[in-house]
């Protein structure tokens, strides 16, 4: 779950292509929280399988995690909030720390992946 402007190539690089991406607005994602929650629930089945939900949707992430954990139908998921790091990896300066640290996403990719 994340910013609709995220670089899908970067997502595939770090998470493979075996995932379902739920887009949210690049700002004010809370405005679409009901839609996002419905899409999450649609993609989680009540089964023996476990799901990992990776979320980078700002403050909306906290509300989504609370809603999902209080939903009595689903106990088979792990909710991981990775904050804005995926924005930084995609080259998006959405947070002050990205700008202040002069985060170099290309250098990071070259150090930790085979991305050229």
């Amino acid at each position: 779950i994340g910013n609709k402007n995220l670089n899908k190539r970067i997502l595939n690089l770090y998470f493979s292509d075996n995932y379902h991406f739920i887009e949210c607005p690049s700002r004010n994602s809370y405005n679409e929280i009901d839609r996002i929650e419905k899409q999450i629930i649609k993609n989680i089945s009540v089964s023996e399988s476990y799901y990992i939900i990776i979320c980078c949707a700002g403050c909306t992430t906290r509300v989504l995690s609370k809603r999902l954990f209080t939903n009595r139908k689903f106990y088979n998921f792990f909710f991981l909030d990775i904050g804005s790091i995926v924005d930084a990896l995609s080259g998006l300066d959405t947070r002050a720390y990205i700008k202040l640290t002069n985060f170099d996403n290309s250098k990071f990719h070259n150090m930790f992946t085979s991305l050229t």
Side-chain angles (χ1 to χ4, degrees), residues 9 13 106 109-110 113-116:
R9 182 172 168 230
L13 178 68
S106 296
H109 299 314
N110 290 334
T113 69
S114 60
L115 180 67
T116 54

Side-chain angles (χ1 to χ4, degrees), residues 77-110:
F77 65 90
F78 181 79
F79 197 92
L80 179 63
D81 177 6
I82 59 173
S84 56
I85 191 64
V86 177
D87 287 357
L89 293 173
S90 290
L92 303 173
D93 292 337
T94 57
R95 298 290 188 272
Y97 82 87
I98 299 170
K99 294 175 189 174
L100 291 172
T101 61
N102 294 317
F103 182 80
D104 185 344
N105 62 324
S106 296
K107 184 177 178 182
F108 184 90
H109 299 314
N110 290 334

Side-chain angles (χ1 to χ4, degrees), residues 16-101:
S16 83
D17 59 358
N18 187 18
Y19 65 88
H20 180 80
F21 183 69
I22 297 173
E23 291 184 352
C24 60
S26 57
R27 294 183 180 271
N28 302 318
S29 59
Y30 189 80
N31 293 338
E32 295 189 28
I33 194 167
D34 293 331
R35 176 194 58 80
I36 296 166
E37 180 186 16
K38 286 175 187 173
Q39 283 187 278
I40 294 169
I41 291 171
K42 177 182 167 191
N43 287 286
I44 296 177
S45 63
V46 179
S47 69
E48 297 294 320
S49 298
Y50 278 88
Y51 298 88
I52 299 173
I53 300 172
I54 300 173
C55 194
C56 43
C59 295
T60 303
T61 298
R62 288 184 179 192
V63 179
L64 281 171
S65 65
K66 177 73 173 185
R67 285 185 181 191
L68 292 172
F69 280 114
T70 57
N71 185 330
R72 300 290 180 206
K73 288 194 252 179
F74 304 108
Y75 293 101
N76 58 335
F77 65 90
F78 181 79
F79 197 92
L80 179 63
D81 177 6
I82 59 173
S84 56
I85 191 64
V86 177
D87 287 357
L89 293 173
S90 290
L92 303 173
D93 292 337
T94 57
R95 298 290 188 272
Y97 82 87
I98 299 170
K99 294 175 189 174
L100 291 172
T101 61

